[in-house]
């Protein structure tokens, strides 16, 4: 029985490792997809996890299923479809390790998940249901996502949401904004980047957190600030946490790993998000920011998740709290 169930995309990231003589990138295939990066982190830090999604009946789909299984993620809700290809993403990196994406997804298997294919019973024993916006870009996955969110909410699960803006996948910015706002309206826990807050409201991180709490009724707002760390807030406290300093190689998946490690921390410490004290928010932020920062030293999403021992050793070395009861 899973503690956390996530729905969405499981795909292959092709990321550059070098360039040939003509300047074309030499690409390495890496397992990824935001919800699965999230689950990989949550599983690494002690949570039982399950995934709802779809891959093609092809070599990459089989590799991805095996990867999740090796991580301990329950794959009974992962559908294999012979009528479509596993989704592919092509990543380019700038000098700072920041990435941009191009997608082979017209359609990709993840967009073709149907409501009747959902293993809703996997949600029954979970505490957290997580989703992002990439499953809202196209039908039938949009309807399947909305059905799963409604089912999870009716079962009293904590709803976790990541807006995860990927402009190339939307027909318009208006469509992206509409679906992102719908997701925020469903959520109890939100992990949003400062860039996404700027896209939605043109406001600073503090104002975005206030808006999420007051206007959308979320219980816990987590705003990631890139190299500046994060801001965490509920209705009684707000904290900023600076990340540990690392040599960044690739930021792919760092935000997802932040979210997954935060979810695992919440489950372990058994305090409802709305009741977290300032000290607890600080400890949560330190843990998630450390996991995310350490992940940027390695390439890829799923493959970059640091071990629990690595995270706790870094927290100890910097005299940061791991937990506050």
């Amino acid at each position: 029985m899973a503690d956390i169930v996530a729905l969405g995309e499981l795909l292959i990231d092709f990321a550059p490792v070098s360039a040939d003589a003509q300047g074309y990138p030499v690409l390495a295939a890496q397992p990824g997809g935001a919800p699965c990066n999230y689950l990989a982190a949550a599983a690494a830090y002690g949570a039982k996890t399950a995934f709802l999604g779809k891959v093609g009946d092809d070599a990459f789909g089989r590799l991805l299923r095996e990867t999740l299984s090796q991580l301990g993620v329950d794959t009974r809700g992962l559908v294999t479809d012979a009528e479509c290809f596993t989704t592919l993403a092509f990543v380019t990196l700038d000098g700072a390790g920041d990435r941009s994406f191009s997608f082979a997804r017209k359609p990709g298997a993840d967009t073709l998940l149907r409501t009747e294919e959902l293993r809703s019973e996997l949600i029954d024993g979970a505490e957290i249901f997580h989703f992002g916006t990439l499953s809202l870009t196209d039908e039938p996955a949009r309807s399947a996502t909305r059905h799963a969110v409604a089912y999870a909410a009716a079962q009293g699960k904590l709803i976790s949401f990541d807006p995860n803006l990927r402009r190339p996948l939307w027909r318009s910015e208006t469509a992206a904004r509409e679906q992102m706002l719908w997701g925020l309206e469903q959520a109890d826990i939100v992990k949003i980047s400062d860039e996404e807050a700027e896209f939605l409201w043109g406001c600073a991180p503090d104002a975005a957190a206030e808006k999420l709490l007051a206007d959308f009724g979320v219980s816990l707002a987590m705003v990631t600030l890139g190299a500046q760390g994060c801001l965490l807030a509920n209705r009684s406290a707000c904290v900023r946490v600076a990340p540990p300093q690392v040599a960044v190689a690739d930021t792919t998946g760092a935000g997802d790993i932040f979210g997954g490690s935060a979810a695992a921390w919440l489950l372990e410490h058994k305090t409802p998000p709305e009741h977290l004290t300032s000290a607890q928010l600080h400890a949560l932020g330190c843990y998630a920011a450390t996991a995310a920062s350490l992940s940027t030293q390695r390439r890829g999403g799923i493959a970059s998740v640091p071990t629990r021992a690595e995270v706790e050793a870094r927290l100890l070395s910097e005299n940061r709290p791991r937990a506050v009861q």
Side-chain angles (χ1 to χ4, degrees):
M1 187 167 60
D3 303 313
I4 304 171
V5 176
L7 180 151
E9 69 279 7
L10 175 60
L11 50 78
I12 296 290
D13 286 324
F14 283 95
V17 293
S18 62
D20 66 16
Q22 286 74 45
Y24 286 93
V26 176
L27 303 173
Q30 300 166 337
C36 290
N37 298 335
Y38 173 102
L39 289 179
Y45 309 133
K48 296 178 180 178
T49 61
F51 178 62
L52 303 174
K54 179 178 281 194
V55 291
D57 187 11
D58 49 42
F60 285 132
R62 290 186 284 275
L63 280 169
L64 288 167
R65 180 182 292 274
E66 179 61 23
T67 294
L68 289 190
S69 295
Q70 290 174 355
L71 293 171
V73 178
D74 187 335
T75 59
R76 286 178 293 164
L78 176 58
V79 179
T80 297
D81 191 336
E83 300 301 315
C84 55
F85 287 106
T86 299
T87 300
L88 308 177
F90 297 88
V91 184
T92 55
L93 303 174
D94 65 17
D98 291 320
R99 71 268 186 264
S100 58
F101 294 86
S102 301
F103 293 88
R105 192 182 185 241
K106 295 182 179 180
D110 69 293
T111 69
L112 299 176
L113 181 67
R114 301 191 302 273
T115 299
E116 60 268 25
E117 295 173 318
L118 293 172
R119 295 286 298 269
S120 299
E121 70 273 14
L122 294 174
I123 299 172
D124 292 344
E127 294 188 45
I128 297 174
F129 176 81
H130 176 75
F131 73 110
T133 52
L134 268 64
S135 61
L136 296 171
T137 60
D138 297 275
E139 292 290 358
R142 181 184 299 160
S143 292
T145 302
R146 290 185 174 227
H147 176 89
V149 171
Y151 182 87
Q155 298 285 319
K157 312 306 178 184
L158 281 172
I159 307 298
S160 168
F161 177 63
D162 181 353
N164 194 29
L165 178 63
R166 295 288 179 266
R167 283 182 171 87
L169 293 178
W170 294 97
R171 292 176 175 83
S172 69
E173 291 193 349
T174 299
R177 188 173 287 105
E178 177 184 330
Q179 297 302 322
M180 291 168 74
L181 293 174
W182 179 86
L184 294 174
E185 290 168 354
Q186 317 310 310
D188 301 299
I189 300 169
V190 170
K191 194 288 295 177
I192 189 171
S193 72
D194 50 357
E195 293 177 354
E196 289 156 354
E198 173 67 26
F199 172 78
L200 286 172
W201 306 302
C203 68
D206 300 77
E210 292 175 6
K211 193 170 190 67
L212 287 168
L213 295 167
D215 296 351
F216 292 89
V218 308
S219 301
L220 174 61
M222 302 185 293
V223 187
T224 54
L225 311 173
Q228 303 307 310
C230 60
L231 181 152
L232 277 67
N234 59 15
R235 289 180 180 81
S236 60
C238 180
V239 302
R240 281 182 179 254
V241 176
Q245 296 303 302
V246 298
V248 175
D250 180 4
T251 59
T252 301
D256 311 321
I257 292 165
F258 182 100
S261 57
W265 192 100
L266 287 168
L267 290 173
E268 182 175 346
H269 294 91
K270 302 184 185 305
T271 301
E274 64 272 21
H275 295 156
L276 293 171
T277 64
S278 178
Q280 288 173 318
L281 285 173
H282 182 255
L284 169 57
C286 286
Y287 196 88
T290 298
S293 294
L294 293 180
S295 78
T296 67
Q297 298 178 113
R298 302 166 182 159
R299 298 198 179 275
I302 289 174
S304 72
V305 176
T307 66
R308 184 169 185 158
E310 288 173 321
V311 174
E312 294 185 354
R314 187 59 178 261
L315 290 168
L316 182 62
S317 73
E318 297 192 356
N319 196 30
R320 292 178 177 233
R322 178 193 171 278
V324 175
Q325 300 297 334

